[in-house]
Amino acid sequence: MSRSLSGKRVAFLVTDGFEQVELTGPKEALEQAGAKVEILSSQAGTVKGWNHDKPADDFEVHRTFEQAKNEDYDAVVLPGGVQNSDTIRLDKGAQHIVNLINGQNKPIAVICHGGWLLISAKLVTGKTLTSYKTLKDDLVNAGADWVDEAVVVDGNLISSRQPDDIPAFNEQLIKALSA
């Protein structure tokens, strides 16, 4: 992953309860490749990551969903985590951002339970995606073609199943941003 992403900006959309490694793993890879990363959330201040079912670290929120401008970002990353994903999917600001980014055909990278936001934003119909296995029915019922693979790229959508897939996820995200 030696591609330079200098000048690229990536937004991570989260609320409390995101799977911490699904933020920190891609964030570190993007920053090492030269990208600037910002954490966006519904509220200013900090958001709390989780290590599966246990609270973990706090992270600074750079902007709220309402303060964010889609033209400021070259891609969006949606970490999973059940609590985060169940909350963020209902947030109209988060839905608005992913719809704008999608409309500009910029990469939207989603891992684990993060696909719930794409379902609520009505972006999965006719798309091939993967996710954590418990989201399979939700994605299929929303019109997606679900596959059990480490990483799937369908147009501007990049999806992965779980933390074990983060290296493949990072590689595809960096590749998409390098294009």
Side-chain angles (χ1 to χ4, degrees), residues 113-177:
H113 288 80
W116 274 338
L117 176 55
L118 297 183
I119 291 169
S120 294
K122 305 199 181 336
L123 296 178
V124 302
T125 303
K127 298 293 186 176
T128 300
L129 298 163
T130 194
S131 68
Y132 192 68
K133 61 188 174 189
T134 59
L135 267 69
K136 176 183 177 182
D137 289 347
D138 296 334
L139 285 163
V140 170
N141 290 337
D145 179 25
W146 187 88
V147 295
D148 186 12
E149 297 178 15
V151 65
V152 175
V153 178
D154 187 344
N156 64 316
L157 299 181
I158 302 162
S159 58
S160 281
R161 301 171 298 193
Q162 57 204 9
D164 291 345
D165 300 330
I166 290 174
F169 179 77
N170 291 346
E171 183 178 335
Q172 287 302 319
L173 177 56
I174 289 170
K175 181 178 176 183
L177 282 164

Side-chain angles (χ1 to χ4, degrees), residues 17-97:
F18 61 91
E19 186 68 34
Q20 185 162 309
V21 70
E22 293 173 6
L23 181 140
T24 58
K27 180 179 182 292
E28 181 179 299
L30 288 165
E31 289 174 341
Q32 286 178 354
K36 179 176 168 51
V37 173
E38 290 188 2
I39 295 173
L40 309 183
S41 191
S42 56
Q43 306 271 336
T46 61
V47 287
K48 182 166 284 298
W50 281 61
N51 292 326
H52 189 57
D53 60 349
K54 307 241 182 315
D57 299 324
D58 291 327
F59 293 82
E60 176 188 354
V61 173
H62 298 100
R63 296 185 200 194
T64 65
F65 298 143
E66 284 68 34
Q67 293 169 331
K69 296 178 185 160
N70 65 304
E71 62 267 14
D72 289 342
Y73 302 103
D74 299 292
V76 166
V77 177
L78 307 175
V82 175
Q83 179 185 345
N84 162 69
S85 300
D86 195 44
T87 301
I88 201 170
R89 73 179 303 177
L90 300 176
D91 190 293
K92 296 298 182 192
Q95 290 178 22
H96 183 69
I97 291 169

